[in-house]
Amino acid sequence: MSYQKYADIIIDISHENLDKTYQYTIPKEFFASAIIGALVVVPFGRGSRKINGYIVGLSNEPKIDIDRIKPIDHVVEGAPVIESHLIYLAHWIKETFGGTMNDALKTVMPIKKAVKIKEKRRIVSIKPYEELSLLYEEQKRKNNAARIRILEALLKNSYLDYDDVTKKLKISKPTITWLETNDVIKIESKQIYRNPIEKQDISYTPVTLSDEQEHIVENILRDYNEGIRNTYLIHGVTGSGKTEVYMEVISAVVASGKQVIVLIPEIALTYQTVNRFYSRFGDRISILNSRMSDGERYDQGLRAKNGEIDIMIGPRSALFTPFQNLGLIIIDEEHEGSYKSEATPKYHAIEVAKTRAKLTGAFVILGSATPSMESYYSATKGEYKLFHLSKRAKEASQPKIWVVDLREELRQKNRSIFSRKLKELIEDRLNKQEQIMLFINRRGYAGFVSCRSCGYVIKCSRCDVSMTSHVQGGYSRGKLLCHYCGSQEPMPNTCPVCGSKYIAAFGTGTQKIEEMVKREFPKARVLRMDADTTKNKGDHQKILSAFAHHKADILVGTQMIVKGHDFPLVTLVGIVAADLSLYAGDFRAGERTFQLLSQAAGRAGRDRIPGEVVIQTYNPEHYSIVTAAEGDYQSFYEQEMLYRSLMQYPPASHIMVILITAREEDLADKAIDHAGLVLKDYINTKQLSSKIIGPAPAGLAKVKDTYRRVIYIKEANYNYLVELKNYFEGYFNYSIQFAGCSLQVDFNPMSTY
């Protein structure tokens, strides 16, 4: 048998200058274990210090002088091994989104480190009963108390739990070893998985699919059976039964011997999602998320790799589940910003899912009541196959939506956070013993400045996004800043439009609302769900479970309460301040507002009791709010695309962000100015039509004593931006102008920097 003698290894250091493979020889004792994806320890550098690395290639030929090639020190026993197709995927992520190969390799490893295997051991008698009895009598004559105790137990039961023997019977290791040596017993071990899903007794009630649902399932499965692998976008109104469509397709894919990954945007969604999937697929499902212990994550990855589960559910990182026979990736609520990584490499799960699907012969389903502009744009161009679900399941009707003008409330001397309409409906639901959700729309909140009398919001004249009030990051109080181009304006004392003195930075919080709810409705039982109340493992489930079992009348929370949850008794949703995300200081503000309002409205009246929604806003005429209230996605999309096309924002164009950080402010300023010159020179030389915005201070201009500076580049051709990224990364790594600086690159960011 021939063995490959050399390994190409990526060193476990995320530094651009080391972002290449190094060749090592493989000692004979590691021929079997030094496989592609294995974690190894190697001597590195002049001092040959021991460092971790990953094998990404094997060969029989040396690439350099054989005398200069060092041997691998050892293969790390029990460490997770990266699947070969995931190594290719890591390379694609690195090339497409930036960062180092080491960063990308760590990204595709859902199990980051080896964890001690949990075992269940038992002691089994291997002597016939008669011989065991004779031995027992012999030990009684010799008065060997410990041996007597264990033999007596074995005469009653031929196998014993190892822990019970050592703890309850107080049998020491030497006694057990003596029995093993004399062929009286053997010890059997069985791996026990740390399972984050408790066994449940949930019965599955078959659901009759609607004509719309049946049409989608038939079309997708026809393609699947004919070997066609598409990306599908299901645009279904809230409560239309997208999950039932997913489960029907999953059932067929699993029956064909394939495995499935289901991505969900928030850990908060896992509770209800898991229950629904468990009722249908039982123990063949599992979950991965950041709240699980290392042991739980390791064991579920192992189960997936060994083919002991069919379906993995989880947020973004579950995309890299080490399935051997992947057939389908589902991304639910595909519009969610959490599918974009905030850490380097800044990949988007949808793009990575499509690439992994191509590598494995799988297909992708995206689903949302409010598809992202990018996904719907791709569907209109024919890149995705588009399906619609226009009706709610269970014969539920769409909720009645009230839009309340808070300017009018102010004129009527109502300065409470509750409009008269919302207060009236809350009292009505409390009297009927129905449930209420109060949503504070803080997603992307960035301290925009608006007038309470007329609704005017101060925007940047160059970028058409709201300006942000700054009280830190090097700017004095009273300055307004654009997070794209860096333009500044003084903070006005009165509204430039109507002259009102009611102009200020907009802001409120869930805790404040909770206190006001308790003061206004003292008999109501109130729960709050936000980042502060969900810090610990299991907090999400406790709050959602309590609300589901009607242990509270009102649930106050941020966006995590409006995502995919299904509470039959919720008949009123109050959106306390719709404007908080509408003017969040970046080009996606209108899209996020439409999505959040639509998702929030979708929580009301999901069963047979009709629901109502109150949207409180200072800008009732804004198209995001008008179309959300009407449930008209198509109209919103058309108006938003006009704006995106006019301003060259995604998906009409693409944006690349260059973020440079340094410990010294002067160094950061000089570096970003030089970067701007280098980028402009490249664009002019290549005769590209790319547009540069900046340089400018980042939205958070200083974090942990580190200064942050940005440049935005708009370009219609994504490949040109990738080429520009590759060129600039190379220039940055070897230019003395950037010594002492760090670089991050991001494509089509989900928010401003």
Side-chain angles (χ1 to χ4, degrees):
M1 182 178 182
S2 66
Y3 291 97
Q4 292 163 310
K5 299 175 183 178
Y6 302 97
D8 295 323
I9 292 173
I10 288 284
I11 301 301
D12 191 1
I13 300 176
S14 292
H15 192 285
E16 290 82 357
N17 291 336
L18 298 175
D19 196 24
K20 58 184 179 181
T21 60
Y22 295 84
Q23 196 173 48
Y24 286 82
T25 58
I26 305 172
K28 285 184 179 178
E29 62 266 33
F30 302 126
F31 276 177
S33 55
I35 59 176
I36 288 179
L39 178 66
V40 295
V41 174
V42 295
F44 185 73
R46 289 183 181 175
S48 289
R49 66 188 176 104
K50 299 294 191 295
I51 193 165
N52 288 344
Y54 301 98
I55 298 177
V56 295
L58 297 168
S59 67
N60 287 313
E61 299 296 329
K63 295 179 180 176
I64 58 174
D65 183 353
I66 195 166
D67 294 330
R68 293 170 54 201
I69 304 177
K70 300 174 185 177
I72 289 171
D73 188 82
H74 65 273
V75 178
V76 180
E77 192 176 341
V81 174
I82 312 172
E83 305 299 306
S84 57
H85 87 271
L86 290 179
I87 291 176
Y88 180 89
L89 187 64
H91 180 264
W92 179 86
I93 289 171
K94 178 237 178 197
E95 289 296 309
T96 308
F97 299 102
T100 68
M101 185 62 181
N102 185 49
D103 290 328
L105 285 171
K106 288 185 171 179
T107 296
V108 303
M109 293 178 68
I111 314 154
K112 307 297 183 194
K113 59 185 178 182
V115 178
K116 188 177 179 182
I117 291 173
K118 190 175 180 182
E119 291 182 316
K120 185 78 170 174
R121 292 185 293 173
R122 68 177 187 175
I123 293 170
V124 181
S125 171
I126 55 176
K127 277 198 179 296
Y129 186 85
E130 294 76 14
E131 290 184 37
L132 204 61
S133 299
L134 291 173
L135 183 59
Y136 171 67
E137 294 299 333
E138 179 188 322
Q139 296 306 313
K140 278 179 74 174
R141 288 194 296 274
K142 293 180 179 179
N143 204 24
N144 283 325
R147 293 178 190 173
I148 291 168
R149 287 199 304 278
I150 188 170
L151 289 167
E152 190 172 36
L154 285 167
L155 285 166
K156 293 177 181 175
N157 197 332
S158 59
Y159 58 88
L160 305 170
D161 183 86
Y162 190 95
D163 290 337
D164 286 346
V165 169
T166 55
K167 291 172 185 174
K168 292 181 181 177
L169 296 180
K170 293 185 171 49
I171 305 299
S172 65
K173 187 77 167 61
T175 301
I176 295 171
T177 303
W178 183 88
L179 291 168
E180 270 191 293
T181 306
N182 287 278
D183 295 326
V184 179
I185 62 167
K186 67 176 179 180
I187 296 172
E188 293 180 346
S189 294
K190 180 185 178 185
Q191 183 174 351
I192 303 297
Y193 291 118
R194 286 155 284 217
N195 198 335
I197 304 175
E198 295 178 8
K199 282 190 177 290
Q200 303 172 62
D201 185 18
I202 305 175
S203 59
Y204 171 65
T205 305
V207 175
T208 302
L209 298 182
S210 68
D211 290 343
E212 284 184 329
Q213 290 171 319
E214 193 69 51
H215 170 75
I216 295 171
V217 172
E218 285 177 359
N219 273 270
I220 292 175
L221 292 182
R222 186 186 305 119
D223 283 354
Y224 180 67
N225 292 329
E226 291 175 1
I228 298 168
R229 300 293 179 260
N230 278 318
T231 297
Y232 304 90
L233 174 62
I234 301 176
H235 174 210
V237 298
T238 54
S240 59
K242 290 185 291 294
T243 304
E244 291 301 332
V245 172
Y246 300 156
M247 290 201 288
E248 202 66 26
V249 175
I250 288 169
S251 185
V253 172
V254 168
S256 72
K258 298 284 188 175
Q259 297 152 323
V260 179
I261 294 170
V262 180
L263 298 190
I264 52 177
E266 304 272 355
I267 293 172
L269 277 180
T270 307
Y271 169 67
Q272 284 191 328
T273 306
V274 169
N275 280 355
R276 292 180 73 176
F277 276 83
Y278 191 94
S279 71
R280 178 149 186 182
F281 299 105
D283 293 338
R284 299 295 294 181
I285 72 159
S286 190
I287 60 173
L288 274 179
N289 62 52
S290 60
R291 299 290 176 98
M292 289 161 56
S293 69
D294 288 340
E296 286 174 332
R297 290 178 65 84
Y298 180 80
D299 285 357
Q300 299 322 299
L302 210 57
R303 290 180 70 205
K305 190 169 185 174
N306 294 339
E308 295 176 34
I309 56 175
D310 300 317
I311 304 162
M312 183 65 83
I313 302 169
R316 191 178 63 236
S317 61
L319 177 57
F320 306 107
T321 299
F323 279 139
Q324 303 285 327
N325 208 7
L326 183 64
L328 167 62
I329 301 171
I330 292 174
I331 304 182
D332 192 28
E333 308 292 352
E334 63 81 28
H335 63 276
E336 274 297 317
S338 59
Y339 286 127
K340 178 74 183 287
S341 171
E342 294 298 316
T344 303
K346 296 177 181 289
Y347 70 92
H348 199 295
I350 291 177
E351 298 307 313
V352 178
K354 291 190 297 184
T355 302
R356 187 175 183 192
K358 282 180 185 174
L359 292 174
T360 57
F363 66 102
V364 177
I365 297 177
L366 311 174
S368 176
T370 54
S372 68
M373 294 295 293
E374 285 82 354
S375 290
Y376 205 79
Y377 182 71
S378 293
T380 61
K381 292 199 305 177
E383 293 173 14
Y384 300 165
K385 204 166 180 179
L386 179 63
F387 294 109
H388 295 278
L389 286 170
S390 59
K391 298 174 184 174
R392 278 189 157 187
K394 302 179 186 175
E395 300 176 6
S397 58
Q398 292 289 352
K400 180 176 177 58
I401 298 178
W402 306 87
V403 178
V404 175
D405 187 344
L406 290 177
R407 298 170 300 186
E408 184 60 33
E409 293 292 312
L410 185 64
R411 284 193 279 272
Q412 297 294 328
K413 310 298 184 194
N414 177 19
R415 296 185 183 179
S416 163
I417 63 165
F418 303 111
S419 63
R420 290 163 296 169
K421 186 67 180 178
L422 181 56
K423 186 178 175 183
E424 170 199 323
L425 292 178
I426 289 173
E427 288 171 343
D428 174 68
R429 295 316 192 266
L430 291 173
N431 289 334
K432 291 177 178 174
Q433 296 187 322
E434 293 169 7
Q435 288 179 296
I436 302 136
M437 295 173 97
L438 294 179
F439 166 50
I440 178 72
N441 190 0
R442 287 186 65 83
R443 181 68 176 271
Y445 165 62
F448 68 91
V449 173
S450 70
C451 174
R452 304 305 193 263
S453 280
C454 72
Y456 174 73
V457 173
I458 299 177
K459 288 188 173 185
C460 173
S461 58
R462 295 169 63 188
C463 303
D464 199 42
V465 297
S466 61
M467 301 189 83
T468 302
S469 65
H470 265 262
V471 294
Q472 50 180 261
Y475 299 95
S476 59
R477 184 179 294 277
K479 290 274 188 182
L480 297 178
L481 177 72
C482 172
H483 285 172
Y484 283 106
C485 68
S487 297
Q488 294 184 36
E489 288 183 17
M491 175 76 175
N493 294 318
T494 57
C495 175
V497 174
C498 72
S500 165
K501 63 181 180 180
Y502 294 109
I503 187 162
F506 207 133
T508 189
T510 47
Q511 193 169 359
K512 182 179 175 184
I513 291 174
E514 181 189 26
E515 291 166 2
M516 291 179 173
V517 169
K518 288 178 177 177
R519 197 181 314 135
E520 196 78 40
F521 309 101
K523 292 183 180 178
R525 299 167 298 166
V526 184
L527 281 172
R528 174 164 59 96
M529 188 169 178
D530 55 21
D532 291 331
T533 62
T534 55
K535 288 179 179 175
N536 301 315
K537 184 177 178 179
D539 284 345
H540 290 89
Q541 184 166 334
K542 286 176 190 172
I543 295 170
L544 294 172
S545 180
F547 193 62
H549 290 93
H550 206 173
K551 293 179 181 176
D553 305 300
I554 301 175
L555 177 61
V556 176
T558 52
Q559 69 271 7
M560 65 176 70
I561 73 169
V562 301
K563 307 288 179 57
H565 304 307
D566 196 342
F567 301 110
L569 278 177
V570 171
T571 59
L572 174 63
V573 171
I575 299 161
V576 176
D579 306 274
L580 279 176
S581 66
L582 187 54
Y583 299 107
D586 72 76
F587 72 88
R588 297 186 193 275
E591 179 183 11
R592 284 206 193 94
T593 299
F594 177 84
Q595 288 166 345
L596 285 167
L597 298 186
S598 301
Q599 294 287 336
R603 297 316 106 204
R606 292 175 69 91
D607 209 79
R608 301 192 185 281
I609 311 172
E612 290 183 272
V613 179
V614 177
I615 299 174
Q616 299 186 161
T617 175
Y618 287 97
N619 293 274
E621 59 282 330
H622 192 283
Y623 67 87
S624 292
I625 291 171
V626 172
T627 53
E630 293 172 351
D632 188 350
Y633 177 86
Q634 192 63 40
S635 178
F636 163 76
Y637 173 81
E638 289 167 3
Q639 293 182 71
E640 182 70 8
M641 271 307 297
L642 284 174
Y643 162 63
R644 300 284 182 95
S645 300
L646 185 66
M647 299 303 299
Q648 291 180 268
Y649 288 131
S653 184
H654 297 282
I655 291 182
M656 180 170 71
V657 186
I658 301 290
L659 173 70
I660 291 178
T661 60
R663 302 288 285 183
E664 297 173 23
E665 186 172 16
D666 187 52
L667 179 58
D669 288 335
K670 286 180 179 177
I672 199 69
D673 287 341
H674 184 66
L677 293 173
V678 171
L679 292 164
K680 283 176 185 173
D681 184 57
Y682 180 91
I683 289 167
N684 290 334
T685 302
K686 294 287 185 178
Q687 297 183 319
L688 302 179
S689 58
S690 310
K691 182 179 178 183
I692 292 181
I693 306 174
L700 288 171
K702 185 181 179 184
V703 178
K704 295 180 181 177
D705 295 322
T706 299
Y707 294 89
R708 308 168 80 243
R709 302 292 184 261
V710 291
I711 291 174
Y712 292 89
I713 302 157
K714 295 179 181 177
E715 168 58 58
N717 190 315
Y718 189 88
N719 291 330
Y720 290 167
L721 284 182
V722 172
E723 289 172 14
L724 179 54
K725 180 264 300 180
N726 291 340
Y727 168 77
F728 186 73
E729 279 181 337
Y731 187 94
F732 181 91
N733 292 334
Y734 294 102
S735 172
I736 196 167
Q737 299 275 1
F738 299 110
C741 299
S742 294
L743 170 70
Q744 285 187 34
V745 180
D746 191 8
F747 292 92
N748 297 330
M750 299 308 291
S751 59
T752 52
Y753 273 69

